[in-house]
Amino acid sequence: QVQLVESGGGLVQAGGSLRLSCAASGSTFRNNARAWYRQAPGKQRELVAAISIGSRTTYADPVKGRFTISRDNAKNMVYLQMNALKPEDTAVYYCNAGVYGGSYVPSDYWGQGTQVTVSS
């Protein structure tokens, strides 16, 4: 069964840090671009950061300079290091495997999500 599994969410105070991880089952998605999305209550899911197979990255403006996406191809893992967290970063964060051309194009493969809550 093809799976993406997120972990690393939690409750943190504003200004704190968290590191999210996304594991892919077996060798699935090893040749895919990967991305992190988030969805806050009452809002649409939005792209946070994406990384190509060759580690080219893109970030949403609200997280530039604070978040860093990375990947370990040998372990088939993707990470999101989140620093200087703000209450507005509170959301469920999802991992996706897709295609990175001129921009990131998501697939229908999503993880179950991990909750990030930032208190003020």
Side-chain angles (χ1 to χ4, degrees):
Q1 183 179 0
V2 175
Q3 279 190 315
L4 292 168
V5 180
E6 303 95 337
S7 61
L11 173 64
V12 64
Q13 288 189 329
S17 298
L18 284 174
R19 188 193 193 208
L20 305 184
S21 299
C22 174
S25 55
S27 61
T28 311
F29 306 128
R30 196 180 295 276
N31 295 319
N32 281 85
R34 306 277 285 277
W36 288 95
Y37 283 71
R38 67 185 180 187
Q39 188 167 19
K43 295 187 176 181
Q44 289 190 331
R45 192 171 296 188
E46 62 179 1
L47 178 67
V48 175
I51 186 166
S52 70
I53 298 171
S55 295
R56 174 187 174 189
T57 58
T58 187
Y59 296 92
D61 285 343
V63 307
K64 283 181 180 177
R66 300 188 297 123
F67 290 10
T68 302
I69 188 171
S70 62
R71 65 189 296 162
D72 184 331
N73 291 332
K75 296 181 179 179
N76 206 0
M77 297 284 294
V78 174
Y79 307 98
L80 186 68
Q81 178 66 42
M82 305 186 294
N83 298 328
L85 283 161
K86 304 176 180 179
E88 51 264 45
D89 294 318
T90 296
V92 178
Y93 284 70
Y94 297 92
C95 181
N96 182 265
V99 178
Y100 198 131
S103 61
Y104 183 79
V105 180
S107 70
D108 292 332
Y109 292 106
W110 297 92
Q112 82 289 349
T114 186
Q115 175 71 48
V116 172
T117 303
V118 184
S119 63
S120 57

